[in-house]
Amino acid sequence: MTQNRNHQQVDTQSRWVKFWDSDFAWSFRHSAVAMISLFVVVLLSLVAIFAPFVAPYNPFDPATLNLMNGFTPPGEPNTFTGETFILGADDQGRDVFSTILFGLRISLFVGFTAVILALIIGVILGLVAAYYGGWAETVIMRIADVQLTFPSILVAMLIFGIAKGVTPPEYRDEMAIYVLIIAIALSDWVQFARVVRGAALVEKSKEYVQAARLIGRHSIPIMFRHILPNVMSPVLVIATISLALAIIAEATLSFLGVGAPPTQPSLGTLIRIGQKFLFSGEWWILFFPSCTLLALALSVNLLGDWLRDALNPKLR
């Protein structure tokens, strides 16, 4: 038993050493932009996940709100209550820093979940189109071409409106986040499907796929066990970039009032609220949520650009 454990530890250490010495890890260690971007994304994700423990206030608990704290400037004590908020307070007396942390949770949850769902749909349809061809490929790719003729945000708004319309009124606020996820995912699957189809067409003609067919393997194991692992590099790059686009799409929909409900505000909802008070002097209500969204989207985009270069030898 002791020898087996030692062997496992040695194998684990050797794998880490190989990974650390790989071109991928070397590229990351020598890219200050990638390291800073990853740090920002991880930091924002951690503070969002642990928002109930990090945030000094629960901004959505009516029992803890005091309207007298409304419009308190950043770092200045309130005239009536004497309370100080590091990023100020909004019109309802909520701590802006706390609302940003809780809003980040919604934005990241919607972004990650929508990208995962879009990836699953796009990968499956792309593999089916490439492997089977014929009418299946024609139908899938023509639907993708038609969808690409419309801006993705309009497609998401249309899907969100239809889904919300068929949802019973008493469940609309509860289901709004999930409807938003489905709307964004159904508007973003096309990119995954087109890339996977193109890469899978190349892999389909290679000898290992032909050999798997000759020994009688079923088409589904061939697609998902043989072809899929060899087309995942571009998929990961697209997923990273699509994450930033999904977060921005969620913020745009929420800013337009068709996204996250007021009871579960995201960064887009906070920006919409802050925009109302921008010209009356309460700039911080809009400024800090906007900066947070900008930092998150920019960091994810820069990370995606680095990942594209690192996984594509032709771009090194």
Side-chain angles (χ1 to χ4, degrees):
M1 292 291 293
T2 303
Q3 292 180 349
N4 291 335
R5 291 178 182 175
N6 292 335
H7 284 306
Q8 291 177 354
Q9 291 177 354
V10 171
D11 291 340
T12 303
Q13 292 175 356
S14 63
R15 290 175 184 174
W16 277 109
V17 170
K18 290 180 181 179
F19 173 77
W20 187 254
D21 293 335
S22 65
D23 292 340
F24 183 83
W26 184 91
S27 175
F28 178 77
R29 295 198 307 270
H30 289 77
S31 175
V33 173
M35 290 190 290
I36 294 173
S37 299
L38 182 62
F39 173 77
V40 172
V41 172
V42 171
L43 177 63
L44 293 178
S45 300
L46 288 177
V47 296
I49 293 171
F50 297 103
F53 307 101
V54 177
Y57 302 92
N58 183 352
F60 308 118
D61 182 5
T64 63
L65 297 182
N66 187 347
L67 292 177
M68 299 298 290
N69 288 322
F71 301 119
T72 303
E76 297 182 14
N78 183 271
T79 306
F80 302 100
T81 64
E83 291 191 67
T84 302
F85 303 96
I86 185 173
L87 299 183
D90 63 7
D91 58 316
Q92 301 180 40
R94 299 180 300 189
D95 177 35
V96 172
F97 177 68
S98 299
T99 59
I100 289 174
L101 296 186
F102 280 86
L104 262 175
R105 302 184 85 192
I106 302 297
S107 295
L108 286 171
F109 174 73
V110 171
F112 274 107
T113 311
V115 168
I116 291 173
L117 183 58
L119 185 149
I120 293 173
I121 296 172
V123 166
I124 292 175
L125 293 179
L127 286 175
V128 169
Y131 190 83
Y132 291 107
W135 65 267
E137 181 181 20
T138 301
V139 170
I140 293 172
M141 290 299 105
R142 294 301 77 77
I143 293 175
D145 292 340
V146 170
Q147 186 166 326
L148 283 176
T149 61
F150 300 96
S152 59
I153 192 67
L154 294 181
V155 176
M157 290 180 66
L158 175 64
I159 297 171
F160 183 86
I162 295 173
K164 194 172 182 178
V166 300
T167 304
E170 61 271 19
Y171 296 110
R172 285 179 181 175
D173 283 347
E174 297 179 10
M175 300 298 296
I177 296 298
Y178 302 102
V179 172
L180 185 59
I181 291 170
I182 295 172
I184 295 175
L186 292 180
S187 66
D188 288 343
W189 66 270
V190 175
Q191 301 296 334
F192 293 98
R194 289 170 64 89
V195 170
V196 169
R197 171 185 169 271
L201 285 174
V202 176
E203 297 296 324
K204 176 184 173 182
S205 60
K206 291 187 177 180
E207 294 180 354
Y208 71 91
V209 176
Q210 303 299 328
R213 286 176 173 174
L214 287 175
I215 63 176
R217 298 216 68 178
H218 195 269
S219 57
I220 293 179
I222 292 176
M223 285 191 292
F224 290 96
R225 293 186 182 179
H226 298 284
I227 297 179
L228 180 59
N230 292 297
V231 302
M232 283 304 294
S233 293
V235 171
L236 293 176
V237 175
I238 295 177
T240 306
I241 297 174
S242 295
L243 175 60
L245 297 177
I247 292 172
I248 293 174
E250 181 279 323
T252 303
L253 291 172
S254 298
F255 180 80
L256 295 174
V258 294
T263 54
Q264 295 176 292
S266 65
L267 291 178
T269 308
L270 298 177
I271 292 172
R272 175 167 58 86
I273 294 172
Q275 183 264 343
K276 300 177 182 178
F277 305 102
L278 176 62
F279 297 105
S280 60
E282 291 79 17
W283 55 269
W284 58 89
I285 304 177
L286 171 67
F287 179 75
F288 293 115
S290 301
C291 288
T292 304
L293 177 62
L294 176 63
L296 178 60
L298 180 61
S299 298
V300 174
N301 263 327
L302 293 175
L303 199 59
D305 290 341
W306 166 81
L307 191 63
R308 177 198 61 195
D309 298 341
L311 295 177
N312 190 349
K314 295 181 180 179
L315 297 178
R316 292 176 189 172

